[in-house]
Amino acid sequence: MTATVWAAIGQFGILLVLLAAVHLPLGAYMARVYSSPHHTRVERAWYRTLRVDPDAEQRWSTYLLSLLGFSLASVLLLYALGRLQAHLPWNLGFSGLDPATAWNTAVSFTTNTNWQSYSGEAAAGHLLQMAGLTVQNFVSAAVGMAVAIALVRGLARSGTDARIGNFWSDLTRGALRILLPIAVVGALVLAANGVIQSLDPHTAITTITGETQQALGGPVASQEVIKVLGTNGGGFFNANSAHPFENPNALTNLVEIFLILLIPSALPRTFGLMVGDRRQGWAILGVMTGLWTVATGLLTWAELAGPGLAPSLAGAAMEGKEARFGLAGTALFGAATTGTSTGAVDSMHDSLTAPGGGVAMFTMMLGEVAPGGVGSGLYGMLVLAVLTVFIAGLMVGRTPEYAGKKIGRGEITLVALYVLTVPAAVLLGSAISVVTGPGLAGIQEAGPHGLSEVLYAFTSASNNNGSAFAGLAAGTPYFNTMTGLAMLVGRFVPIALVLALAGRLASQNTVPASAGTLPTHRPLFVGLVGAVTLVVVGLTFIPVLSLGPVVESLS
Amino acid sequence: MNRTALALPTSPAPAGHPGDGTPPHTPRVRAGRALSWAQVRAALPGAVRKLDPRVLRHQPVTFVVEIGAVFTTVLSIVDPSVFAWWVTVWLWFTVLFAALAESIAEARGKAQASTLRATQRQTTARKVVAGQDTLDFGSRLDLLETTVVPSASLRVGDVVVVEAGETIPGDGDVIEGVASVDESAVTGESAPVIRESGGDRSAVTGGTVVLSDRIVVRITAAAGATFVDRMIALVEGSERQRTPNEIALGVLLTSLTIVFLLAVATLQPFAVYSGQKQSVLVLVALLVCLIPTTIGALLSAIGIAGMDRLVQRNVLAMSGRAVEAAGDVDVLLLDKTGTITYGNRRAARLEPVGEVTRTELAVAARLSSLADTTPEGRSIVDLAEHSIGAGAALPVDAVLVPFSAHTRMSGVDLDLDGEPFRLRKGAGSAVRGWVRSTGARLPEDVEAHLAELVEDVSRSGGTPLVVAEQLGEAPARVLGVVHLKDVVKEGMRERFDELRAMGIRTVMVTGDNRLTAQAIAAEAGVDDFLAEATPEDKLAYIRREQSGGRLVAMAGDGTNDAPALAQSDVGVAMNTGTSAAKEAGNMVDLDSDPTKLIEIVQIGKQLLITRGALTTFSVANDVAKYFAILPAMFVGLFPQLGVLNVMHLSSPQSAILSAVIFNALIIIALIPLSLRGVRYRPAAADVLLRRNLLIYGVGGLIAPFLGIKLIDLLVSLIPGV
């Protein structure tokens, strides 16, 4: 085997060891955070400002209304910040964003998608970056975690009247007690390794060869860390993590991958502890790890083997990739960013090999559950586990149960709608775009690759990933509006369904497990969830994939 | 099927069906009745009627296929080709097969209903004419004036007199008298049964015939709402409501249909973009192949057949919900007597006390029981004769001393060469009291030995019967102890082990004291027991289990069982029981066999497993269909997609047609399975899952590859395809 292969395996191994080392303590810490009855002084002050009672248990509908209210306020605030940028301080002289871009950006950062139709260094001043985008990076991540915890409570609780916790308390604690401390440490590590952190404006300098170049400045490390930790993905600069000021070397590359996977991979532990059966947590982690390992393996193989004419001529599929990360580092980052809902990139995914791009796309299509975004990965995977229990559970001759909750008509309706929503957004969005004028106008390359570009864009937006395939000219009003809609639908419809599910589950009594209950912690079930996920997603997307990445790969 | 609809497993097999002559009360999971061509032919007209969109609308998956078939028919007319017509015809076959599955399942029920209806001849009733007070509180109502009315006019509360040879006009309770009744019309059981007032055997069913004596019956159900009416409605399926789990599965199937509708509908724009617009015909074919037509077609047939399987075992479920709940049961409450043990205690051992020989005791025990016709008494005679051989009959001048609750002893007084000879047997304290009353004083060691024997028998769950004799007026002497034992039925322990493996706890309910209950519980191998149980205790136990989220099943017959039956999730009332019990339960067992609970649980599980297995099979099938159809659709545009044609199907058109034909034929192929139910062996959940997953999941992946390839070999011979 070549050195590159060993490098790939080595990196992967180090990453797994690091994640394993923090899995138990972080999982337990998060469980404590969301279960503790105590509030810190800062939190109390914040609740007083908001005029909310953090100890009031909310029914799912109230929880959802609080969440939607908060998100709507976030969208409006971000929209205003973007539009009014010219009149606000620290704008680095940039004018306000145009309405379509401001709408797209506001929705994008509130939905934890961080699809960017603007170019950071050419459109966003420091105030917008810090007060707008970075703040949303924290709170949109905290919203996702809150929803996941609410669903976990629904599974853990028994016989309540659909009360699943308090949104304000969950939101605040997630941001202040989990994301903020890790972000501070992470920012210091990144800054120490060369990620810039200043309040300098971008300045033009003259290089020794006499040419003029933009020297970029800004509070990058502080935003970079939450960009990855919160699985947001919106880069300070247009080149995202491929930019040397965001991600200077192979070490920071690995640190960023670690931070991307950190919370999503620890949440199953939190789930296991909160439902009082750690084995359930291991099973969920098992499915996530299995799917992600396969995706990483395939993506790495695709990039290293470099199928296709251009790569074989060039010797390696290096076009559009950074030499300092190498193919292995690029593939690992690609798998991490699409397996979670991050969407940060350290290479242009348009430049992945055809099968590599297909794997990246398919990993997102799984619903970003391997291991998925902060919170959204866990709740997505739990919904799939419930779906699996329903299909397979009947085969043991009992009404299907998950974690002691019966899955009846109401539950399966919510699950079915959840599973339906995102594929509908992806397929309809893509289909409309390939047959209408404004959609076709954005496609850069004809043929299957053009289809891949559009499909990737809507997959990324609907799944709240935010990574771009590049190639597609997505900065048009048409795509800004369409992807904005896809992001909204892909974020809040599933959240509403998950919270409703949590409410239903919380009002059920827990059925004790017996030998007749389908065991949901054994390897067989782990494999089954993986298979159901692959089959359900596969059956939905295979037709369109076969016209895009599959045809490309077979060329 | 000419078999009597409700013929019992215990009834003699009708001529022409020698295979059904199984011995009575043998527990078994019978394979469903085979499907015959005659049945299929008979069900065809019904199936064609079901093609009416207004009827089919309730089966969303099949309805989508029908819409697709209409589309392709129009397309075939507008732009005819051999391929188009073949696809169209097979799409219609798909719809027809789906309708046929339900129709066949319903036809079976209808046959049963018509046999039942035969019992509902228009009859007359002799109604007692008297004031309500007299009817409620009077006695000897049969002596009052009666008037003949049509039985259809009877109301709840009316009182009728029925004599030998007359048909009981409606459901009711016997309030006076005792009679033997032929209930074969309802239960299929030819042996007459005793119905009497006041006990747990007071309920009578309309349409059954009194064979002897005369009874007074108070009507408890109005005409049209009787037991037989309900049975007819149930087996006919006219009152069939979809059960919770069936509805939930329906939701999933509908949403899968929507997913595929989306995937296929959006494929056209992608195809247009890619440069090869697809024909609507091919898209419809793809859609029909992808949506879960197999399980969609068979879903309601599975439900109807599940109810039918219960009826075949002579159990009437008043709701489908109860059948499903049976599969979910966690706790089974079983009465000890008659269910776990034989109804009567049997003599197991003879234990002589002191210097008495075993033969002496055996002779005395035999003599004292010869006149005792109870099963207990007979078992003592059997046991004694087993050790000493058959002896003489009782002399004619023997005086029987019957058991009374007061003396708690029974026995016989004989004349032995002019001297009176008294034999007594009974409870330890009673017999000892009698012995002492004759002036006898037991030696210390004999007293201690006796106490020890009595204690031992009690502790082992048996009943000690002390035997004593008195010759002349001499002091009586104690001979020994007969060990009466509750005999646990054979095979019960194994069945409880099976249930445990299925995750079901069995609880034995008995009126015995704790000590006795414990011993029998241990012998039978139940998980828990409820000793000295009153009806309130039972109810409380059920409530406690339910509050812990468990589902409870029980069987009962008496009026005092009614609250517990109503509270339990699956309450099986015995047909011999009171109307109150039948009213309270959600199932009635016509054989009145409480152990049938176990079979009911298995049928419930089998029903759910069949649904799950066919759903899995249906979804797994889609993978192969993609491999057949997708390359066929786009290979002209992108020749490289040809490598996905792993089955090497002969042409794009034959590939699509083969998938469509396979999709239709698999429905027909699985109708017998859906009617019979998948094979079920009691096992733990993970074992069941592994097995069914292997058969229906992996099998579902592989089968269509083989099937489509085979069909393609034939289809490729059709000219023009």
Side-chain angles (χ1 to χ4, degrees), chain B residues 51 66 69-70 72-73 87-97:
Chain B
L51 296 185
E66 186 172 44
V70 170
T72 57
T73 310
V87 169
T88 303
V89 166
W90 277 97
L91 289 186
W92 280 113
F93 271 137
T94 312
V95 187
L96 184 68
F97 293 164

Side-chain angles (χ1 to χ4, degrees), chain A residues 107-120:
Chain A
V107 167
S108 171
F109 277 75
T110 310
T111 55
N112 197 252
T113 312
N114 306 46
W115 171 270
Q116 292 167 292
S117 66
Y118 64 94
S119 173

Side-chain angles (χ1 to χ4, degrees), chain A residues 462-509:
Chain A
S462 309
N463 282 292
N464 300 140
N465 183 283
S467 68
F469 210 42
L472 185 73
T476 64
Y478 170 80
F479 276 109
N480 274 334
T481 313
M482 289 293 279
T483 53
L485 282 173
M487 287 187 272
L488 275 183
V489 170
R491 175 73 165 179
F492 292 111
V493 174
I495 281 183
L497 294 168
V498 164
L499 289 178
L501 181 65
R504 279 194 75 94
L505 294 173
S507 32
Q508 271 191 35
N509 282 324

Side-chain angles (χ1 to χ4, degrees), chain B residues 45 135 137 145 148 185 255 307 312 322 343 379 422 444 456 476 528 544 583 602 623 626 664 704 709 712:
Chain B
L135 291 181
F137 304 108
E145 187 195 341
V148 175
S255 68
M307 289 288 261
Q312 283 176 57
S379 78
R422 300 185 185 87
E444 288 273 307
D456 278 356
D528 195 6
R544 202 162 54 241
E583 212 47 59
Q602 296 192 353
V623 175
Y626 267 136
K709 176 70 190 169
D712 177 72

